[in-house]
Amino acid sequence: TTIGMQGITPKAGTHYLLADTPHAFADAIVVALNNKPQAIAISSAAAALVSDKYNAATLSTILSRNVEARLSR
C-alpha cells in the first residue's frame, strides 16, 4: 500500500505492486501469479534495494548521524 511504503524509497511496479484497496490487492496477486518473469524481476529489484539501502551498516550510519545532529543542537 501507499501507506506501507512511506519512509522508504521503492518504486511501484519496480520494487512492489501498488495496491491500496482489497480489490487492487487481489488484482496484484493475480498479476504476480500469472506473470512469473515480472514477479521474479520485482522481487529481485526489491531484494537489491533492501540490501543496498536498508542493511545494518547503512542504517547504523544514518542513526549515528541523526543522533549526532540532535546532540549538537
Side-chain angles (χ1 to χ4, degrees), residues 37-61:
Q38 181 187 19
I40 291 169
I42 289 172
S43 65
S44 295
L49 176 72
V50 169
S51 177
D52 291 344
K53 294 198 173 193
Y54 303 103
N55 61 64
T58 300
L59 294 177
S60 176
T61 300

Side-chain angles (χ1 to χ4, degrees), residues 61-73:
T61 300
I62 292 168
L63 179 60
S64 293
R65 286 180 187 156
N66 286 333
V67 169
E68 288 173 10
R70 299 277 183 202
L71 292 175
S72 67
R73 288 183 180 180

Side-chain angles (χ1 to χ4, degrees), residues 5-63:
M5 295 294 118
Q6 288 179 347
I8 57 177
T9 60
K11 294 179 187 158
T14 299
H15 302 105
Y16 69 100
L17 296 174
L18 178 61
D20 283 327
T21 66
H23 184 45
F25 189 81
D27 287 346
I29 291 170
V30 170
V31 166
L33 291 173
N34 289 331
N35 191 336
K36 188 173 181 175
Q38 181 187 19
I40 291 169
I42 289 172
S43 65
S44 295
L49 176 72
V50 169
S51 177
D52 291 344
K53 294 198 173 193
Y54 303 103
N55 61 64
T58 300
L59 294 177
S60 176
T61 300
I62 292 168
L63 179 60

